[in-house]
């Protein structure tokens, strides 16, 4: 086991690397040329313009104002300064709620850390067991852990009591956090302006009718069954072909703009291009004329396809977005069962238009059920047997294999250095590639499961990723051997024995997890702020590919909070913290530092960088809550396993109430708050309807909703702008407040950072 | 293990006792004096009158028509004759659906039995393993079971295949049965006449309001949030005191009628009574005058209390029955969330007025949650540790204990015969008393859990009882030792080991279960038709207590299908049948006979005896389905355990898909059908509303609903008559059909049985 010195060394290395990332970030972000990498959010909001429009060339690339370099950490207070309500307005409730996960970590672990250091560390330190056992090597860290308490000692009462206190505190914080988020969500939904999804319900599994088209059938059904509330509907077209044509046209239009710009700059020289692949082959023609002709040809094709889709009854899928005259009507329809056959006319809240996952709207009920079964089996196999294909690939990807397939590399490979590098790194690289691909694999699996919105796809993937991390990272680190071997053990050993095995090995793995927290948590988060990949990609694109201003806009990759991968990783820290809170309290400060540092970094990213693809109004919180509870119960069970080996079997009986109470607490919270994330209460809907009727009696809702749920390709090939934001701009109250913040912030940013 | 002869002997005894029950029943039911015991249903329907009204005394007590004795089994075809739709009209859908549980058993097990006898019995018989092992005693029955197949034999493929075939067949039958019941339910609900609960929603957890009473608060809330649909509401009064007064008055009224009758018969002698307890002490007064005075006094008290309850705001509980103008409005309200706080304004379908369990309407949300947790823990303790208090009582109730407490019994007890009887029977009696009390205990637990309707209370109790039977009867018979010891084993052994232990001992217990089926299933069901306890009770009451015609009406105890205890017992037969279908197919015919015989007996009882307390329209079917699936999965797991000890470990891998597929099938069915038992689809509601609007445009719904959900005590002390039946009488179409059936049936009954 690693000693205190080893841990100190590791800490020093990781802190240094984190610091170097931060310094690099501080330097890079001050360069105007990187402005679009580090502040894309403000560009997207239309507040910052491209720096190329003003000032000289050098000034636009490098920041020469030395003053600004001195205060290179001043982004930190800036990130923390924005109050929460403004953050919600600026980036949406999803981002705010995501920040509150880190805050939750701080709220749970700071008091636990203090209490553990006051009570448990002295109790452990004076246990003096390890010193008495001569043939055992131990470190100072072990002397602070539960291992230092002699078996059967009365000191374990302190641990038992603290375990209850920690569990109680965690539940207490979780409860109030759930409550806060639920009320934040309701307030957010209530304060929102009119949005199409408030009036709209997604109807799936429209039954086929021999006499009517899908559109007529939907109209008749809702006219009959919701006569006072039904307003209109959009059928969903199967527009794959059209989407391809639109994408092709868009690329041609970009080229046209590029050549037109070129021609304008050099009016004497007519730009030419070749007609073949990528402009490299074929006969040389006049570029502007060629592209204009191509586009008009494509326009005709597109119009024909558009007409075909609109008129061909087989081009519609049996699903529709049905809109109602009032929010009340939509709430009613979304929450009730329409037909006596519960597999047809399924209704649910329509996702935001930008959140719709169009491909999955037309899956029949039984097929959906089969898909979910298959994916559940796949997930099981992936979680427990993923090492088998990896080991297979690793066995292929050795020196002999490479030499066989690519014999011309033989002289190179036979060099000793290269050989050892391949032998040492290749297996690791294969595993790493798999781990990088994993989120994509999981997302694909979720897509196959047939969820209809991006947000639900992400939540589902997060669930899968959490299971994978739990089994393969957490359990895998504690119990040696593959997940499959663990599974075998779990089946063939008594369940108590399994818990004991893990419980006993936990204290020994404390230093490993300390190092893990430092590498993955500290240095990893610091790397996140540097945005190395987007930085490199942006400059590559900017140099080689950017032809028009629009291209530059697209080369800018703001990214977003990737819930599907980030959240399960945070959950791992919750789990580690909860497990070690009683066993090895010295680990806790590392967790606290992780949460604090991440909070700061991601708050900065949310304010300045990320652009969320959708807004689900914190719909993910029930999952976050559930996973922290899962972690808590796991920690309680493992503590029971550990205690039962410590000669205090009776206290194990006292501990058994803990998981039961925690599970009950989970049920209580679920009943108390979860519906707030699923359903819109009729009372809220009615209040908004009444208010709207009073303030805008002449609103033409039909016109407002006309194009809301049209497949993006029918909107002339442009991806729609989020409507909510456009709406916000028109609301004087909100806009004033934000605009004033924006301009002041922009001014201060501009003066302090870019020096314009 | 019992040999074929032993089983034959046991079968003979049980068949004889079943036959003697049937003969006794055939004789007793023909006596007019027992008419109210064996045909109470027809009295309650008002079709049969009391036999005392016509004919001589002897003819009214004993049936002298010898012809009728010859055809003493003619109730059997009569019971099977009534077609299912008429049975539903006669006794309600609950009874029909309950009969379909037995039919389900027949549908599942008859084909399985045939197939097993054609395929598995020959395979087992020719296995010849047991004969080769010399030092093993075995019976012919064992030679027909899987034990006779040598380990590692290829013959096991037959069992494996059959296991899949049986599982598939069970699921197939279950699926179509679920589908049938769901459509029966929907048709039943659709064909029903207007009923108050169709328009009414039960609103619980009305939040307190400082300015308004509960009634005003409810009215305002629903006027605002369901403006187009809200009609009226009934608040729920806390009427415990009033109920007591009403009960007292009723008893006094009975006495008054009794004395008035007495006086009429002997006009010369004025009946007197004593004013003290039970008319045994105190001064002698004129009875009629005394009771008239007492009743008028009580009337005043009752009126005062009635006024107090109606005017005192603290006498209302925070719950209400809210009625809507249309079924659509009620369906919407019952299925949606009203308030942003999901623990207040909870809405659910109102139970039928006669189904309401009034005591549980006012439990706050968190208290409900705590109660459920406590009851879950109690259920666990009861299931696994119930032997501890019983053993304690048994240890007290021995010879020495009795002699200590009741020393005067000493000479009696010291006689050898008495002593051995006490020692032999007392412990058994203590256990038996517990088992008789068990359903009451479980029902009390369900009441504490706070369900608001009798039907849900019964369903919940059935769930608990099923668990108890599963653990203590099924597992308890297979694995020796108490449930607690099993639990210990289960925790301390690997889970596979536990399955193996049980799997191995299953074939050895086949004869035990055969005897069990015969004793509990055959003879027990035959005893049910004799109705020994109601018979004795009726004659006792009739002789000593009956004073008025009304009393006689009440002395008649029709009983009802007790879902909470009967259904879990049937499930045990499903479980035994499924478990042994592959292992010891000879057991299957016993199960088939049980299902067929029970079907006949209970069909007769439903037609002639039982009077259901409520009608839930087969709302229990999802539970029945779930428990059969549970039994199926248990049987599959046990087969896996058995196979893994038979040297065919590879086939265990093939078997693992079975429980997974079955579980998935359960999920599929749940999604496909369960909502039909939970929610009323809007389409159905709309159809009924539209129809009603067309046929009865001037309906005064407010007047119709006026008294529907008033606490029974506010209806002048009478328990309300089920409204549905009264309604039915008014509908000419249905009534004609039934009345014609009734009269013809009554005629034939009367002529063939009573001989009038």
């Amino acid at each position: 086991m690693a000693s205190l010195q080893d841990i100190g060394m590791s800490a020093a290395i990781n802190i240094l690397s984190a610091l170097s990332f931060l310094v690099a970030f501080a330097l890079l972000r001050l360069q105007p040329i990187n402005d679009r990498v580090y502040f894309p959010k403000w560009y997207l909001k239309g507040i910052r313009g491209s720096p190329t429009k003003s000032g000289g060339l050098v000034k636009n690339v490098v920041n020469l104002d030395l003053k600004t370099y001195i205060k290179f950490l001043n982004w930190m207070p800036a990130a923390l300064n924005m109050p929460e309500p403004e953050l919600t307005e600026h980036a949406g409730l999803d981002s705010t709620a995501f920040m509150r996960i880190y805050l939750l970590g701080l709220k749970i672990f700071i008091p636990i850390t203090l209490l553990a250091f006051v009570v448990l560390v002295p109790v452990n330190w004076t246990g003096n067991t390890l010193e008495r056992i001569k043939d055992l090597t131990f470190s100072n860290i072990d002397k602070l852990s539960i291992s230092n308490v002699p078996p059967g000692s009365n000191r374990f009462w302190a641990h038992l009591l603290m375990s209850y206190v920690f569990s109680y505190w965690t539940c207490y914080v979780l409860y109030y956090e759930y409550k806060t988020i639920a009320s934040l969500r309701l307030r957010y939904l209530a304060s929102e302006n009119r949005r199409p999804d408030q009036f709209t319900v997604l109807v799936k599994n429209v039954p086929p009718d021999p006499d009517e088209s899908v559109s007529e059938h939907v109209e008749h059904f809702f006219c009959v069954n919701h006569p006072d509330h039904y307003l209109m509907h959009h059928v969903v077209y199967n527009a794959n072909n059209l989407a391809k044509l639109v994408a092709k046209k868009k690329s041609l239009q970009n080229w046209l703009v590029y050549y037109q710009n070129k021609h304008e700059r050099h009016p004497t020289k007519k730009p030419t291009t070749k007609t073949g692949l990528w402009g490299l082959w074929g006969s040389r023609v006049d570029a502007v004329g060629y592209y204009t002709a191509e586009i008009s040809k494509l326009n005709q094709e597109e119009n024909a396809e558009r007409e075909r889709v609109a008129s061909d009854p087989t081009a519609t899928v049996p699903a529709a977005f049905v809109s109602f005259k009032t929010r009340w009507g939509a709430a009613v329809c979304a929450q009730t069962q329409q037909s006596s056959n519960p597999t047809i006319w399924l209704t649910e809240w329509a996702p935001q238009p930008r959140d719709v996952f169009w491909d999955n709207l037309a899956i029949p009920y039984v097929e959906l059920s089969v898909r979910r079964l298959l994916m559940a089996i796949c997930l099981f196999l992936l979680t427990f047997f993923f090492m088998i294909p990896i080991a297979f690939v690793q066995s292929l990807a050795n020196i002999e294999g490479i030499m066989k397939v690519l014999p011309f590399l033989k002289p190179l490979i036979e060099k000793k250095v290269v050989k050892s590098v391949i032998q040492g790194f290749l297996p690791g690289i294969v595993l790493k590639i798999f781990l990088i691909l994993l989120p994509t694999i999981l997302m694909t699996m979720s897509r196959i499961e047939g969820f209809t919105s991006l947000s639900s796809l992400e939540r589902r993937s997060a669930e899968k990723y959490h299971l994978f991390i739990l089994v393969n990272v957490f359990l895998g680190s504690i119990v040696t051997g593959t997940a499959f071997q663990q599974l075998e053990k779990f089946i063939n050993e008594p369940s108590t024995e399994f818990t004991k095995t893990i419980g006993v090995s936990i204290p020994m793995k404390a230093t490993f997890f300390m190092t893990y927290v430092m590498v993955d948590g500290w240095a990893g988060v610091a790397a996140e702020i540097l945005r190395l990949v987007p930085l490199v990609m942006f400059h590559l694109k900017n140099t080689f590919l950017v032809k028009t201003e629009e291209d530059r806009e697209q080369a800018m990759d703001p990214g977003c909070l990737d819930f599907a991968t980030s959240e399960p990783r945070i959950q791992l820290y919750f789990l580690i913290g909860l497990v070690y809170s009683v066993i090895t309290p010295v680990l806790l400060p590392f967790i606290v530092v992780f949460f604090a540092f991440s909070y700061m970094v991601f708050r900065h990213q949310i304010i300045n960088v990320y652009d969320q693809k959708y807004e689900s109004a914190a719909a993910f919180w029930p999952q976050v809550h559930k996973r922290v509870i899962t972690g808590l119960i796991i920690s309680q069970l493992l503590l029971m396993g550990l205690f039962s080996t410590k000669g205090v079997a009776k206290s194990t009986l006292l501990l058994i109430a803990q998981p039961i109470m925690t599970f009950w607490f989970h049920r209580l919270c679920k009943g108390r708050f979860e519906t707030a994330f699923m359903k819109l209460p009729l009372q809220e809907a009615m209040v908004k309807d009444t208010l709207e009727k009073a303030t805008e009696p002449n609103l033409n809702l039909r016109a407002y909703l006309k194009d809301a749920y049209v497949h993006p390709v029918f909107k002339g090939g442009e991806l729609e702008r989020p409507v909510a934001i456009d709406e916000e701009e028109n609301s004087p109250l909100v806009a004033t407040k934000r605009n004033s913040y924006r301009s002041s912030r922009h001014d201060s940013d501009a003066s302090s950072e870019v020096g314009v």
Side-chain angles (χ1 to χ4, degrees), chain A:
Chain A
M1 249 179 110
S3 70
L4 210 57
Q5 282 75 18
D6 298 340
I7 293 290
M9 193 64 183
S10 168
I13 292 170
N14 280 295
I15 289 170
L16 275 180
S17 63
L19 269 181
S20 63
F21 284 133
L22 289 183
V23 168
F25 165 68
L27 297 178
L28 286 172
R29 70 193 265 279
L30 292 180
Q31 313 312 322
I33 200 170
N34 295 330
D35 214 39
R36 276 180 181 273
V37 178
Y38 293 115
F39 301 97
K41 180 89 177 171
W42 301 100
Y43 283 92
L44 288 175
K45 289 229 151 187
I47 293 168
R48 268 192 205 223
S50 204
T52 41
K53 276 170 194 159
S54 65
L57 186 68
V58 176
K59 211 176 171 190
N60 282 334
V61 174
V62 186
N63 182 4
L64 297 175
D65 187 348
L66 288 178
K67 273 191 297 178
T68 58
Y69 287 99
I70 297 165
K71 302 183 278 175
F72 76 97
L73 279 178
N74 68 348
W75 60 269
M76 287 190 176
L80 299 178
N81 257 346
M82 189 184 266
E84 200 172 70
E86 280 183 36
L87 185 68
T88 309
E89 268 172 41
H90 176 70
L93 187 60
D94 275 350
S95 307
T96 313
F98 199 85
M99 282 302 98
R100 288 190 80 102
I101 304 179
Y102 295 109
L103 269 187
L104 179 72
L106 291 174
K107 284 181 198 163
I108 290 177
F109 287 111
I110 290 180
I112 286 187
T113 309
L114 294 177
L115 206 57
F117 270 80
V118 170
V119 178
L120 291 183
V121 168
V123 169
N124 293 339
W125 180 258
T126 54
N128 288 335
T129 309
L130 295 173
E131 283 171 3
R132 265 182 257 144
I133 308 170
K134 291 291 171 215
D135 54 344
L136 201 79
T137 55
F138 62 92
S139 71
N140 291 332
I141 287 171
D142 288 325
K143 282 186 68 180
L144 297 172
S145 89
I146 205 171
S147 318
N148 202 23
V149 179
S153 162
N154 276 332
R155 285 162 188 263
F156 283 117
W157 288 105
H159 297 89
L160 198 145
L161 183 71
M162 279 299 117
S163 167
Y164 268 92
V165 171
F166 293 167
S167 296
Y168 172 78
W169 174 251
T170 308
C171 289
Y172 178 85
V173 174
L174 275 173
Y175 182 84
Y176 282 97
E177 197 65 28
Y178 211 155
K179 196 172 176 177
T180 313
I181 301 271
S183 73
L184 276 181
R185 177 181 160 93
L186 287 170
R187 213 180 311 145
Y188 183 78
L189 291 177
S191 73
E192 267 178 333
N193 289 294
R194 189 165 48 248
R195 278 212 332 259
D197 50 303
Q198 292 165 342
F199 296 90
T200 308
V201 164
L202 168 59
V203 179
K204 290 193 296 184
N205 301 48
V206 176
D209 190 298
D211 305 324
E212 292 180 313
S213 70
V214 171
S215 174
E216 286 164 341
H217 199 182
V218 169
E219 174 136 19
H220 291 167
F221 185 86
F222 284 94
C223 274
V224 168
N225 292 305
H226 295 265
D228 305 331
H229 307 284
Y230 171 74
L231 181 70
M232 58 188 291
H233 71 276
H234 297 285
V235 287
V236 178
Y237 292 103
N238 185 350
N240 286 344
N241 254 335
L242 193 56
K244 268 183 218 157
L245 287 177
V246 167
K248 197 172 166 195
K249 193 175 108 182
K250 204 176 159 194
S251 133
L252 290 180
Q253 265 166 339
N254 268 349
W255 281 105
L256 179 62
V257 173
Y258 167 73
Y259 283 114
Q260 278 169 342
N261 284 351
K262 207 172 174 184
H263 187 51
E264 270 168 32
R265 258 175 267 153
H266 310 277
T268 51
K269 196 182 159 200
K270 268 212 161 183
T272 57
T273 186
K274 289 178 180 170
T275 55
L277 193 70
W278 294 335
L280 296 176
W281 283 276
S283 53
R284 184 162 291 275
V285 292
D286 170 43
V288 175
Y290 170 73
Y291 280 110
T292 316
E294 283 287 304
I295 287 171
S296 77
K297 209 163 70 186
L298 220 53
N299 260 339
Q300 282 172 8
E301 262 182 67
E302 196 189 311
N303 286 338
E305 173 72 13
R306 209 176 285 264
E307 260 171 49
R308 190 193 68 77
V309 168
S311 60
D312 183 2
T314 60
T316 55
V317 302
F321 289 95
V322 177
S323 298
F324 291 82
K325 285 174 194 155
T326 55
R327 293 172 181 85
W328 192 91
V332 161
C333 183
Q335 293 176 43
T336 50
Q337 196 192 342
Q338 309 305 313
S339 156
S340 61
N341 180 343
T343 63
I344 57 174
W345 297 112
L346 295 181
T347 54
E348 58 185 67
W349 272 112
Q352 280 192 346
R354 56 177 170 160
D355 189 12
V356 176
F357 187 70
W358 295 90
D359 300 359
N360 273 349
L361 292 178
I363 304 172
Y365 182 81
V366 175
E367 188 186 326
L368 205 65
S369 186
V370 174
R371 284 174 174 216
R372 300 225 165 139
L373 171 70
L374 289 180
M375 284 307 111
I377 295 171
C378 283
L379 180 65
F380 173 81
L381 295 178
L382 183 70
T383 309
F384 287 96
F385 299 93
F386 79 96
M387 279 312 294
I388 295 177
I390 302 242
F392 179 71
V393 174
Q394 283 172 342
S395 73
L396 286 186
N398 56 8
I399 302 282
E400 288 74 32
I402 290 173
M403 283 201 291
K404 237 181 223 167
V405 181
L406 306 166
F408 55 88
L409 287 179
K410 205 175 171 182
L412 183 70
I413 287 174
E414 279 181 344
K415 278 184 191 159
K416 213 177 173 185
V417 185
V418 178
K419 202 172 177 176
S420 64
V421 165
I422 289 178
Q423 276 174 330
F425 279 90
L426 216 51
I429 286 170
V430 170
L431 182 62
K432 192 74 197 167
I433 289 173
F434 167 77
L435 289 178
I436 289 169
L437 288 179
L438 184 63
T440 320
I441 297 172
L442 295 176
M443 180 55 92
T444 313
M445 284 168 67
S446 305
R447 282 188 186 178
I448 294 172
E449 282 182 289
F451 290 90
T452 52
S453 65
L454 298 175
S455 51
S456 54
L457 281 172
E458 287 226 349
R459 287 200 295 275
R460 184 71 179 170
S461 303
E463 220 175 298
K464 297 196 175 84
Y465 197 44
H466 179 243
L467 178 71
F468 189 89
I469 288 185
L470 190 66
V471 171
N472 288 300
V473 179
F474 181 70
L475 288 184
S477 306
I478 290 178
V479 189
T480 46
T482 62
F484 170 61
Q485 287 164 337
Q486 288 165 44
L487 185 70
E488 216 179 357
K489 244 186 227 167
F490 180 69
I491 291 174
N492 287 322
E493 271 179 15
S495 43
T496 45
E497 204 55 46
F498 186 70
T499 329
K500 268 186 205 169
T501 317
I502 299 181
V504 169
S505 53
I506 280 181
M508 298 189 281
K509 297 285 175 178
T511 44
F512 167 77
F513 279 113
M514 282 180 201
T515 325
Y516 183 87
V517 171
M518 287 189 286
V519 174
D520 182 84
W522 299 4
V525 168
E528 172 66 32
I529 203 171
L530 194 58
R531 289 170 60 70
L532 213 59
V533 176
L535 180 73
V536 172
M537 290 304 287
F538 175 75
H539 286 300
L540 282 178
K541 279 186 188 169
N542 215 1
T543 318
F544 295 107
L545 287 177
V546 165
K547 302 182 193 75
T548 64
E549 192 59 23
E550 202 181 322
D551 276 0
R552 193 189 312 276
E553 190 80 24
Q554 288 191 356
M556 186 172 82
D557 169 24
C560 61
L561 275 177
D562 187 8
F563 181 80
T565 54
S566 320
E567 196 268 347
R569 281 194 194 135
I570 308 176
Q571 289 293 347
L572 181 63
Y573 293 96
F574 276 104
L575 178 64
I576 296 175
L578 290 169
V579 166
Y580 282 101
S581 59
V582 176
I583 296 173
T584 312
V586 241
L587 190 140
L588 288 172
F590 293 84
I591 301 276
V592 170
V593 168
F594 161 76
F595 278 116
F597 185 50
S598 303
Y599 178 68
M600 212 157 52
V601 166
F602 280 98
R603 211 164 199 274
H604 173 265
Q605 300 293 84
I606 281 172
I607 293 173
N608 295 308
V609 183
Y610 295 151
D611 179 50
Q612 293 307 99
K613 277 180 287 188
Y614 57 83
E615 174 63 46
S616 69
F620 55 77
W621 194 264
Q623 288 213 347
V624 174
H625 180 88
K626 193 176 110 190
R627 286 188 208 127
V628 178
I629 292 276
T630 312
L632 186 59
I633 290 181
I634 290 177
S635 77
Q636 290 162 348
L637 292 178
L638 294 184
L639 190 68
M640 274 172 67
L642 179 63
F643 262 44
S644 60
T645 63
K646 285 283 181 185
V648 275
K650 270 177 204 159
S651 61
T652 317
L653 277 181
L654 283 173
L655 281 172
I656 210 167
Q658 256 191 329
I660 295 171
M661 299 278 283
T662 311
F663 184 71
W664 172 79
F665 169 77
H666 169 61
R667 293 287 296 271
L668 181 77
C669 285
K670 199 179 158 86
R672 178 81 180 73
F673 301 117
E674 201 179 80
T675 42
F677 294 83
M678 306 286 187
K679 296 176 173 178
L680 180 67
L682 295 188
Q683 194 179 19
E684 310 273 321
M686 192 49 103
V687 166
K688 289 212 83 174
D689 283 338
T690 314
L691 200 72
E692 192 174 79
K693 218 173 277 169
T695 53
E696 291 177 79
N698 299 320
L699 171 73
N700 185 350
L701 197 59
R702 192 181 286 271
Y704 173 73
L705 292 172
K706 195 168 158 284
D707 287 332
Y709 280 97
V710 171
H711 194 296
V713 294
F714 289 103
K715 294 185 174 175
E718 272 181 27
L719 276 166
E720 77 248 66
R721 292 284 306 154
V723 186
I725 288 172
D726 296 350
E727 279 299 308
E728 265 176 65
E729 310 284 329
N730 302 334
S731 156
L733 187 76
V734 179
T736 316
K737 199 172 160 200
R738 209 196 36 229
N739 283 347
S740 66
Y741 172 80
R742 271 186 195 169
S743 45
S744 70
R745 158 123 195 122
H746 188 219
D747 290 348
S748 66
D749 264 357
S751 61
S752 71
E753 290 161 21
V754 195
V756 177

